Amino acid sequence: AALIEAHLKKEKYELLEVALNNLLNLISTTFPLTQKIYLKISKPDILPNCQVSVSNIKIYWEKF
């Protein structure tokens, strides 16, 4: 969690999909023994009455 938080504070993304893809790459290279990664990220403050989130099975990573 600390790795993800530090990365998202350092990098700025306009698209959640790009952030997800970069996070998957970061996690899989930092922790090479990881077998599966499933991430969901949100922009809680983008609109006043809703929360924008992305989680997509196409950005699901599995090491075989």
Side-chain angles (χ1 to χ4, degrees):
L3 176 70
I4 292 170
E5 184 177 353
H7 180 78
L8 290 176
K9 284 181 178 180
K10 184 179 88 172
E11 299 295 327
K12 301 296 180 201
Y13 294 102
E14 293 200 19
L15 296 175
L16 291 176
E17 295 84 356
V18 174
L20 275 176
N21 193 42
N22 286 354
L23 286 171
L24 286 171
N25 289 333
L26 175 66
I27 294 167
S28 65
T29 55
T30 304
F31 305 103
L33 298 178
T34 302
Q35 295 295 313
K36 293 182 182 182
I37 302 170
Y38 182 81
L39 293 175
K40 176 182 177 181
I41 58 175
S42 302
K43 289 185 177 180
D45 300 326
I46 197 164
L47 297 172
N49 295 320
C50 69
Q51 184 171 347
V52 178
S53 299
V54 171
S55 65
N56 189 334
I57 199 68
K58 292 179 184 173
I59 307 177
Y60 174 81
W61 179 88
E62 186 170 356
K63 183 177 178 181
F64 293 99

